[in-house]
Amino acid sequence: MSCLTERSIHNAGGNMTRPSGVKPNRLFQTSTMAALLDAVYDGEMTLGELVQHGDFGLGTFDALDGEMIVTEGEVRQFRSEGIASGTTADMKTPFACVTYFEPEKTVTIDKPMGKEEFEELVNGLIDNPNLFGAVRFTGEFEKVDTRTVFCQHKPYPGMLEVVAKQPTFRMGEISGVMLGFRTPPYMQGINVAGYHLHVLSDDRKHGGHVTDYRVKSGKLEVARISDLEISLPKTEDFAKADLQPAGLHEAIRTAEGG
Ligand SMILES: [Zn+2]
């Protein structure tokens, strides 16, 4: 994978039809968070394949080339400064999580709340700490802080080294969609324990990996996830990766921040 500088604005996916045989609210993920942390930045799965497994989700791209959001079946990429650039079906991902999201509960948020209060609200709605949850908030924000990773060159540095150099960006009052997953603590390393959310502005031009936020008003939708499918890479990099390093939990908290 090389680091391209320009791509036409086109988004892989766009097919929102759930294939027969695929349940709603079933999590499909490629590789593991621990592998990403150990610099396994090149995956085997194309975006074209990924969107067969879900129309909603998040992830990153080969060579750690930006943050991914999948919404309404379309895959968008945020590269430097959280600006959207196009994706094509043949691009690949080293880590992504998608589902066909069907909300089980919907609530209206009509008073501002920060991240902690928002997470407590979602925890109450999911009401089971040992299941995954899918979360989508659509509405107005008072602020959203994001981070965006950028394209790496081989030999790849570890993710902690990459993240230490990443600037964060603050979007002030915006409207948009923030979505992602809550992962139970025992899944740390397979995925990111706790909340992992990405955001996309209504103008579809800005977004990224969310580190902090304050929502103002809007619609919150959640669903429990009890079915998982994990596709592990058969690559040499994955074979050689150390997936149980000392300090894994702290490393993921630092890398995925928030
Ligand atoms: Zn992320």
Side-chain angles (χ1 to χ4, degrees), residues 33 36 58-60 67-68 95 147 149 159 192 196-198 208-210 255-256:
M33 187 59 216
L36 200 64
L58 49 74
T60 185
E67 305 284 348
M68 174 197 299
F95 180 77
R147 175 205 79 199
V149 288
M159 195 167 174
V192 179
H196 185 188
L197 301 169
H198 286 191
H209 171 98
V210 174
E256 294 303 306

Side-chain angles (χ1 to χ4, degrees), residues 102-196:
E102 275 190 17
E104 293 178 325
K105 291 182 181 171
T106 300
V107 298
T108 299
I109 292 180
D110 54 11
K111 69 177 175 81
M113 62 176 77
K115 179 178 167 176
E116 207 170 299
E117 199 179 344
F118 182 90
E119 291 184 356
E120 271 175 29
L121 176 60
V122 177
N123 288 342
L125 292 168
I126 295 174
D127 196 28
N128 184 333
N130 293 328
L131 293 179
F132 282 73
V135 184
R136 178 167 62 198
F137 171 80
T138 311
E140 309 292 319
F141 295 81
E142 287 189 354
K143 67 151 192 182
V144 190
D145 292 340
T146 61
R147 175 205 79 199
T148 298
V149 288
F150 61 84
C151 198
Q152 301 297 312
H153 296 274
K154 288 183 175 178
Y156 289 143
M159 195 167 174
L160 286 184
E161 196 180 321
V162 173
V163 168
K165 294 176 187 162
Q166 303 311 302
T168 60
F169 305 96
R170 173 161 293 183
M171 295 188 275
E173 299 218 338
I174 63 154
S175 54
V177 60
M178 177 172 75
L179 62 82
F181 301 96
R182 189 202 67 173
T183 293
Y186 64 88
M187 281 284 177
Q188 184 72 301
I190 302 289
N191 204 306
V192 179
Y195 285 85
H196 185 188

